[in-house]
DNA sequence: CTTAACTCGAACACCGTCGTTCGGGTTAAG
DNA sequence: CTTAACCCGAACGACGGTGTTCGAGTTAAG
């Protein structure tokens, strides 16, 4: 898989049937790089809203022809795969922008929630879509790479006595992401004020993860 | 919509083109009622697992022919609609089995979570599926009917000082359902022990909704 | 300027699903 | 037992999405 090159071959045909794609993975033209970026962005937005993709719609949203799309991504599976990789990079970038290693863990979790609930929710939506179109195996690996930061942060909080230890750690991570996602969903539905969302999330999460009295 | 009757008309045809369905909504035969129940159950299970329905698969899971399915439900939309109504009834029944009006509200919420997280999650899954195949308008009404009980319960707890009032009530309801759903998802993924789920949920929810110190 | 990479619309075959029809077999109800 | 309701498999036309090919135009790169 993953040929994804020019594919023109125009007039003369059928002289060399095998390996008809000249510049395999050499540096693309500026033109092509622009198209790829537009497709990736459009597909990310589309998949972030729901898993009902449609190659034609994605191409239209990217301002690109359907044939061009197939020229770069040989199948829907390849497209989704590339979009996931793209989103992982963005999510990791968002997580890097938050200082996680200093101060009490609950405060760090609050900072994380306050600044990144939006992109992290988009990430989750994409995971659901990717799970349907790709295998759960490939998803799991990527997802865990981002998830591990939160796991370590929670572990640190537990060692410091700032986070409860009477419940499974995996469940605390799940609860963290679930609340993040729920807040994003409520904002999308107009039930929650985006301006308040950060504080609301911080208050709820710290309360849920605080050691019981 | 919702004709859904015998539809046999066999040999002789085209004498009376209009109203060719004899026993409109009279009492069906025992046979038919059995089929309808099987279809409803199979569709509920299928939609509870994911929105990728497939009339043929549902029919097969119900142990019924595809034609029979269409005989009772003229379209996929009609089927989903009926399944939603069926699920609403089940969910309301589950909620009725829990004593909500006595004792402190947090304890009542714990009881609710402990005994009904499974069916309430199935209900939520179905909502997502129904939202795609039906309008969001019809969904909203049904969903709210069940949701209002939790809203009233939370309101009572707030009046008694047992539940926090520093966050929007709608958000507390969302958080309650989000944690319920997350727990069911973790159980399905094998990350959470079903036997512990009730207690884990109760501990998390009471902590998240308790007034801050 | 020349060349090769890139883009594009139109059209095609393929496949899965939907909803329907036909004809005949089965089963509950009187 | 008789009748009408019900069930079923096979097959059909329609629709929408996928991935591909053709032929010609456009655009970056040397």
């Amino acid at each position: 898989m993953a040929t994804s090159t020019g594919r023109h071959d125009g007039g003369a045909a059928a002289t060399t049937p095998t390996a008809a794609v000249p510049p395999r993975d050499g540096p693309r033209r500026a033109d092509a790089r622009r198209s790829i970026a537009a497709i990736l962005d459009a597909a990310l937005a589309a998949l972030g809203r729901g898993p009902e993709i449609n190659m034609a719609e994605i191409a239209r949203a990217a301002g690109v022809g359907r044939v061009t799309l197939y020229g770069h991504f040989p199948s829907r599976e390849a497209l989704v795969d590339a979009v996931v990789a793209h989103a992982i990079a963005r999510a990791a970038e968002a997580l890097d922008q938050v200082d996680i290693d200093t101060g009490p863990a609950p405060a760090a979790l609050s900072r994380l929630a306050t600044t990144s609930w939006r992109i992290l929710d988009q990430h989750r939506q994409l995971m659901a879509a990717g799970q349907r179109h790709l295998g759960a195996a490939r998803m799991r690996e990527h997802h865990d790479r981002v998830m591990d930061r939160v796991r370590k942060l929670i572990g640190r909080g537990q060692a410091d006595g700032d986070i409860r230890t009477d419940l499974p750690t995996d469940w605390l991570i799940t609860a963290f992401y679930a609340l993040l996602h729920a807040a994003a969903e409520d904002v999308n539905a107009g039930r929650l004020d985006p301006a308040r969302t950060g504080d609301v999330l911080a208050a709820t999460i710290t309360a849920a993860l605080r050691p019981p009295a």
Side-chain angles (χ1 to χ4, degrees), chain A:
Chain A
M1 67 291 195
T3 46
S4 72
T5 331
R7 201 96 201 72
H8 72 309
D9 82 77
T15 44
T16 49
T18 327
V21 269
R24 192 62 94 142
D25 38 21
R28 320 296 183 85
R29 242 172 53 177
D31 194 341
R33 268 175 289 141
R34 213 182 315 144
S35 288
I36 292 179
I39 291 172
L40 242 35
D41 282 342
L44 176 60
L47 286 174
R49 269 171 300 153
E52 328 110 356
I53 16 170
N54 187 293
M55 300 298 260
E57 250 181 275
I58 292 179
R60 199 172 340 116
V64 114
R66 211 165 63 90
V67 185
T68 302
L69 199 165
Y70 278 105
H72 291 297
F73 304 96
S75 69
R76 180 182 62 226
E77 186 175 331
L79 211 211
V80 174
D81 199 73
V83 170
V84 167
H86 192 234
I88 292 286
R90 279 194 182 277
E93 188 180 329
L95 287 181
D96 279 336
Q97 267 179 332
V98 181
D99 181 21
I100 276 182
D101 297 321
T102 67
L109 278 174
S110 291
R111 287 196 297 271
L112 203 57
T114 303
T115 67
S116 62
W117 57 270
R118 208 179 272 274
I119 189 165
L120 247 29
D121 174 66
Q122 195 184 48
H123 184 250
R124 181 192 168 99
Q125 288 282 113
L126 182 62
M127 279 302 138
Q131 205 113 11
R132 171 136 53 244
H133 297 290
L134 306 174
R138 190 182 227 92
M139 286 300 106
R140 181 47 95 165
E141 175 193 357
H142 292 315
H143 198 215
D144 279 353
R145 182 133 51 99
V146 180
M147 202 101 113
D148 270 353
R149 308 189 186 208
V150 178
R151 167 173 276 114
K152 281 183 184 171
L153 178 53
I154 286 181
R156 182 167 71 85
Q158 287 177 328
D160 295 347
D162 294 328
I163 291 185
R164 68 196 308 171
T165 56
D166 60 329
L167 299 179
T169 302
D170 279 343
W171 162 248
L172 297 183
I173 299 171
T174 294
F176 175 79
Y177 276 101
L179 290 172
L180 230 57
H181 171 62
E185 203 172 81
D186 261 23
V187 169
N188 287 342
R191 289 190 296 268
L192 190 56
D193 178 13
R196 285 195 63 184
T197 300
D199 294 336
V200 166
L201 263 177
T204 309
I205 288 173
T206 53
L209 301 194
R210 179 173 40 206

